[in-house]
Amino acid sequence: MIPTERLAAVIVTYNRCEKLLKVIDALRSQTRPPDRIYVVDNASSDATEAEMRSRKGNDLVHLRLQHNIGGAGGFNKGIKAAYSDGFDLIWISDDDAYPNEDAIEKLIDGLTKFADRTGHWPSFACSAVRWTDGSWCEMNTPDTVWDWPRFYSADMRYFLVRSCSFVSALIPRWAIREHGFPIKDYFIWFDDAEYTRRLARSYPGIFVPDSLVIHDVENNQGVNYGLVTDETLWKFKYGARNEASFEMREHGLAGFLSFLYRVRRQMRLNRLPLRLRLPIYGAILRGLWFRPKIEMPARAGNRN
């Protein structure tokens, strides 16, 4: 059995105090509430620090950072803290995603049932993420493996996935012990895909469609380089550098060139202006030499 005695939640936040408080309320109302909630605060300048000070308790830890190190750095810090404190399962999510009251319980049940029925240990479990109007949230679509329905049945409705976003993902301790922590140097974008793909080297994760989360983002759109704007260019540059670096690490020059072709095609199809294309190409080229460190726990161990 996968141990479920100690459950932690990690939320990374930056200047979204009102939404963060809704997330904390949703976590405390879970049918299986976390034993401890770690709020990693990326040097927010709003009321976050005061609110966390007033709500701080045995079940809530406020990790206030001196500088904004991005979502990637925040998840790295939060998962390290929860792992160091000995938690068996770590649920991670954004500060604007509200889980249904049974969302975490269903992820835990999914891990346990899948392992019991198949003899395989999923490296993570992820939720179905909806937008505010109830439609599918495009940016939080898990990436399935080729044989994703292999174990699907009426009473075990789980799909095999090789990666997911950091919006409602449950990670067992053994997977972190074997594969390390998220890459903090990514800052933002593709940190979730890289990390869960790394976890899935042991065994794919599972998508649990009955575990529901609402993601309160302004626009419901996925990552498409044809949609770059002046306002979002900075995010896409991080994403382009990070994914190019990942492709070089995992698949060499062939993977890098395939990614470059895919991005070029998206930008050309949407007739993106040259002033936006050139910075994206520059970021992809930086990915050729960008080799961030993967941090591992101090000691390896068994799956338990």
Side-chain angles (χ1 to χ4, degrees):
M1 296 286 289
I2 296 174
T4 60
E5 290 80 10
R6 304 195 67 207
L7 168 69
V10 173
I11 304 296
V12 178
T13 190
Y14 178 67
N15 284 343
R16 288 192 184 129
C17 183
E18 185 177 345
K19 292 183 177 182
L20 172 64
L21 297 180
K22 289 180 65 176
V23 174
I24 293 173
D25 288 343
L27 288 175
R28 286 175 165 169
S29 299
Q30 290 291 298
T31 54
R32 174 50 171 107
D35 301 298
R36 189 172 301 162
I37 303 169
Y38 294 84
V39 174
V40 184
D41 179 3
N42 262 321
S44 296
S45 57
D46 61 2
T48 297
E49 184 174 14
E51 287 289 349
M52 292 300 97
R53 191 183 302 119
S54 68
R55 292 167 179 253
K56 193 174 182 180
N58 292 332
D59 74 328
L60 181 62
V61 175
H62 179 214
L63 301 177
R64 170 82 177 177
L65 305 182
Q66 295 300 310
H67 307 285
N68 183 359
I69 59 175
F75 283 114
N76 175 282
K77 292 283 188 184
I79 293 174
K80 277 183 179 177
Y83 184 90
S84 177
D85 289 342
F87 284 94
D88 302 307
L89 294 167
I90 302 174
W91 180 86
I92 60 178
S93 194
D94 284 349
D95 58 358
D96 56 357
Y98 318 127
N100 281 14
E101 63 178 10
D102 59 355
I104 295 179
E105 181 181 14
K106 287 186 174 179
L107 291 179
I108 295 174
D109 288 346
L111 285 179
T112 304
K113 182 183 289 187
F114 191 93
D116 288 346
R117 296 279 188 89
T118 70
H120 299 292
W121 299 78
S123 54
F124 60 89
C126 58
S127 298
V129 184
R130 303 288 181 179
W131 196 40
T132 52
D133 66 356
S135 62
W136 182 256
C137 196
E138 302 292 338
M139 69 170 61
N140 304 123
T141 302
D143 189 8
T144 55
V145 301
W146 71 271
D147 59 344
W148 57 269
R150 178 174 295 275
F151 297 105
Y152 180 88
S153 64
D155 64 339
M156 201 168 77
R157 300 176 60 244
Y158 312 129
F159 305 143
L160 293 172
V161 294
R162 66 171 184 159
S163 68
C164 71
S165 76
F166 277 171
V167 174
S168 191
L170 183 70
I171 306 171
R173 182 177 182 84
W174 70 261
I176 300 169
R177 188 158 49 214
E178 291 192 8
H179 299 290
F181 303 103
I183 296 176
K184 63 183 179 181
D185 296 319
Y186 273 3
F187 191 78
I188 194 172
W189 279 28
F190 204 72
D191 52 320
D192 46 10
E194 187 281 332
Y195 187 54
T196 49
R197 290 186 193 186
R198 185 164 18 118
L199 297 179
R201 289 173 179 171
S202 292
Y203 194 79
I206 56 171
F207 169 61
V208 183
D210 294 332
S211 173
L212 298 176
V213 177
I214 301 298
H215 199 182
D216 188 8
V217 289
E218 183 177 358
N219 298 309
N220 187 17
Q221 62 184 38
V223 178
N224 184 316
Y225 285 86
L227 302 177
V228 179
T229 65
D230 291 303
E231 292 73 25
T232 62
L233 176 61
W234 70 276
K235 292 182 180 180
F236 278 93
K237 285 167 62 178
Y238 276 113
R241 181 200 65 176
N242 296 341
E243 189 164 358
S245 173
F246 169 82
E247 289 294 341
M248 277 296 298
R249 187 190 82 196
E250 296 296 313
H251 306 115
L253 187 59
F256 173 86
L257 292 175
S258 176
F259 173 64
L260 174 60
Y261 173 79
R262 186 166 70 251
V263 172
R264 177 177 178 272
R265 185 171 184 273
Q266 289 176 356
M267 292 193 296
R268 285 174 61 88
L269 284 175
N270 286 273
R271 298 179 180 176
L272 208 67
L274 192 61
R275 75 173 191 281
L276 296 177
R277 290 192 209 182
L278 291 179
I280 297 297
Y281 287 136
I284 292 174
L285 288 176
R286 285 193 294 276
L288 280 171
W289 299 278
F290 182 54
R291 292 293 179 273
K293 179 182 178 182
I294 294 176
E295 299 174 280
M296 300 295 296
R299 295 172 61 184
N302 298 322
R303 296 186 190 179
N304 55 45

